Amino acid sequence: MATIKHFLQYKDLTRSEHEYLFARTAWLKKKFKAYEVHHPLFDRHLAMIFEKNSTRTRLSFEAGMQQLGGSSIYLNTRDTQLGRGEPVEDAAQVISRMVDVVMIRTFEQEIIERFAANSRVPVINGLTNEYHPCQVLADIYTFIEQRGPIAGKTVAWIGDSNNMCNTWLQAAELLDFNVHVSTPPGYEVEPERAGVYSNAHFEQFNDPMDAARDAHLVTTDVWTSMGFESENEERKRDFADWCVDAEMMKVAAKDALFMHCLPAHRGEEVEAEVIDGPQSVVWEEAENRLHVQKALLEFLLLGEQKM
Ligand code: CP
Ligand code: NVA
């Protein structure tokens, strides 16, 4: 059997595959905006397994699959046998005999890896505790769309060294840009968990203002990610000074963008005047989830296509 390509973390695809995906995304987006029908995945089906909440991921995969001529099936832990202890390996065997591609949003990365190891079809990470590769795919596509190539640029990550931060670090290594990270003490990047090979593409700063200085993109995320709710009160205290505000945007490069994967908490990790201000591209970022994931689904099922 040919090797199946999965997208469990950002570095699962090569630099040139990512470059193909960005080019294909632009092609697909243009076609869709022109109302041109493109149904390469007619009669193909996507299973989406959610063990955590979602608005954007569910909507973008469901709409995207339909736009490509296929369909999607929504499953969650509550209604399936997964919530009653059916082994992930058994679920993977069964689900992957009935659909052509699977997207999973779950807790530990290990769960999705066990699923993929027993799957006959490509598996896509729709967010785990460790990584959120589809979001960073959309974010980088958005950066390219707004500002051109990201290689050589500086991204400031302000806040928690979470799934988004880890994925940015992997992307920096692969696509050759730099990430300036500032986390509160005790929440620093763990390179092994982030899955990076070296610290050549990121630098840690104690002061978030130093991380933001001259950055081409300033980005942040919630202080408490899904699955860590019991730490909420402690995190509110620890992260109080890690809020992206106008002063921070002022020290960044003049034409710096602001991104947030959403959902956001105004007044916590970002001030309203920044997320709702002129440098923010959060709605473009959200929309691009749809377009990049269409390119990803098509690529995982059919390989690179002529444009
Ligand atoms: N950014 C993101 O993944 O959003 P959802 O949690 O709404 O899917
Ligand atoms: N870091 C956040 C991202 C949500 C899209 C979380 O995991 O909850």
PDB file of all heavy atoms in Angstrom, residues 31 34 67 75 178 180 199 275 306:
ATOM      1  N   LYS A  31     -11.072  31.013  -7.888  1.00  0.00           N
ATOM      2  CA  LYS A  31     -12.089  30.243  -8.605  1.00  0.00           C
ATOM      3  C   LYS A  31     -13.427  30.299  -7.855  1.00  0.00           C
ATOM      4  O   LYS A  31     -14.483  30.517  -8.441  1.00  0.00           O
ATOM      5  CB  LYS A  31     -11.601  28.784  -8.671  1.00  0.00           C
ATOM      6  CG  LYS A  31     -11.866  28.103  -9.972  1.00  0.00           C
ATOM      7  CD  LYS A  31     -11.207  26.737  -9.989  1.00  0.00           C
ATOM      8  CE  LYS A  31     -11.754  25.881 -11.087  1.00  0.00           C
ATOM      9  NZ  LYS A  31     -11.575  26.410 -12.438  1.00  0.00           N
ATOM     10  N   ALA A  34     -15.191  33.531  -8.039  1.00  0.00           N
ATOM     11  CA  ALA A  34     -15.764  33.776  -9.365  1.00  0.00           C
ATOM     12  C   ALA A  34     -16.957  32.840  -9.635  1.00  0.00           C
ATOM     13  O   ALA A  34     -17.439  32.767 -10.762  1.00  0.00           O
ATOM     14  CB  ALA A  34     -14.692  33.599 -10.432  1.00  0.00           C
ATOM     15  N   GLN A  67     -17.882  22.353  -1.056  1.00  0.00           N
ATOM     16  CA  GLN A  67     -17.489  23.150  -2.231  1.00  0.00           C
ATOM     17  C   GLN A  67     -16.626  22.341  -3.190  1.00  0.00           C
ATOM     18  O   GLN A  67     -16.588  22.610  -4.382  1.00  0.00           O
ATOM     19  CB  GLN A  67     -16.736  24.408  -1.782  1.00  0.00           C
ATOM     20  CG  GLN A  67     -17.654  25.438  -1.139  1.00  0.00           C
ATOM     21  CD  GLN A  67     -16.890  26.521  -0.403  1.00  0.00           C
ATOM     22  OE1 GLN A  67     -15.704  26.731  -0.639  1.00  0.00           O
ATOM     23  NE2 GLN A  67     -17.567  27.217   0.496  1.00  0.00           N
ATOM     24  N   LEU A  75     -18.867  14.059  13.915  1.00  0.00           N
ATOM     25  CA  LEU A  75     -18.938  13.109  15.037  1.00  0.00           C
ATOM     26  C   LEU A  75     -18.380  13.790  16.279  1.00  0.00           C
ATOM     27  O   LEU A  75     -17.397  14.524  16.186  1.00  0.00           O
ATOM     28  CB  LEU A  75     -18.080  11.874  14.741  1.00  0.00           C
ATOM     29  CG  LEU A  75     -18.397  11.086  13.463  1.00  0.00           C
ATOM     30  CD1 LEU A  75     -17.248  10.161  13.121  1.00  0.00           C
ATOM     31  CD2 LEU A  75     -19.677  10.295  13.637  1.00  0.00           C
ATOM     32  N   ASN A 178      11.651  34.050  11.587  1.00  0.00           N
ATOM     33  CA  ASN A 178      12.005  34.038  13.010  1.00  0.00           C
ATOM     34  C   ASN A 178      10.787  34.306  13.878  1.00  0.00           C
ATOM     35  O   ASN A 178       9.923  35.093  13.496  1.00  0.00           O
ATOM     36  CB  ASN A 178      13.042  35.129  13.296  1.00  0.00           C
ATOM     37  CG  ASN A 178      14.265  34.915  12.438  1.00  0.00           C
ATOM     38  OD1 ASN A 178      14.907  33.868  12.490  1.00  0.00           O
ATOM     39  ND2 ASN A 178      14.560  35.898  11.600  1.00  0.00           N
ATOM     40  N   HIS A 180       9.843  35.665  17.715  1.00  0.00           N
ATOM     41  CA  HIS A 180      10.248  36.232  19.000  1.00  0.00           C
ATOM     42  C   HIS A 180       9.128  35.938  19.986  1.00  0.00           C
ATOM     43  O   HIS A 180       8.017  36.438  19.834  1.00  0.00           O
ATOM     44  CB  HIS A 180      10.473  37.743  18.866  1.00  0.00           C
ATOM     45  CG  HIS A 180      11.711  38.064  18.091  1.00  0.00           C
ATOM     46  ND1 HIS A 180      12.112  39.350  17.810  1.00  0.00           N
ATOM     47  CD2 HIS A 180      12.660  37.249  17.545  1.00  0.00           C
ATOM     48  CE1 HIS A 180      13.259  39.318  17.134  1.00  0.00           C
ATOM     49  NE2 HIS A 180      13.602  38.055  16.945  1.00  0.00           N
ATOM     50  N   ASN A 199      17.091  25.897  18.302  1.00  0.00           N
ATOM     51  CA  ASN A 199      16.494  27.203  18.626  1.00  0.00           C
ATOM     52  C   ASN A 199      16.985  28.290  17.663  1.00  0.00           C
ATOM     53  O   ASN A 199      16.954  29.469  17.968  1.00  0.00           O
ATOM     54  CB  ASN A 199      16.741  27.576  20.096  1.00  0.00           C
ATOM     55  CG  ASN A 199      18.221  27.600  20.420  1.00  0.00           C
ATOM     56  OD1 ASN A 199      19.046  27.418  19.514  1.00  0.00           O
ATOM     57  ND2 ASN A 199      18.559  27.830  21.678  1.00  0.00           N
ATOM     58  N   ILE A 275      -7.400  44.468  18.172  1.00  0.00           N
ATOM     59  CA  ILE A 275      -8.074  43.420  17.370  1.00  0.00           C
ATOM     60  C   ILE A 275      -9.120  44.028  16.433  1.00  0.00           C
ATOM     61  O   ILE A 275      -9.373  43.497  15.349  1.00  0.00           O
ATOM     62  CB  ILE A 275      -8.659  42.303  18.267  1.00  0.00           C
ATOM     63  CG1 ILE A 275      -9.040  41.086  17.424  1.00  0.00           C
ATOM     64  CG2 ILE A 275      -9.817  42.773  19.114  1.00  0.00           C
ATOM     65  CD1 ILE A 275      -9.358  39.838  18.213  1.00  0.00           C
ATOM     66  N   LYS A 306      -2.325  20.416 -11.512  1.00  0.00           N
ATOM     67  CA  LYS A 306      -1.863  21.479 -12.450  1.00  0.00           C
ATOM     68  C   LYS A 306      -2.722  22.726 -12.257  1.00  0.00           C
ATOM     69  O   LYS A 306      -3.916  22.618 -11.994  1.00  0.00           O
ATOM     70  CB  LYS A 306      -2.039  20.978 -13.886  1.00  0.00           C
ATOM     71  CG  LYS A 306      -0.955  20.069 -14.318  1.00  0.00           C
ATOM     72  CD  LYS A 306      -0.700  20.214 -15.832  1.00  0.00           C
ATOM     73  CE  LYS A 306       0.428  19.327 -16.269  1.00  0.00           C
ATOM     74  NZ  LYS A 306       0.080  17.876 -16.161  1.00  0.00           N
TER      75      LYS A 306
END
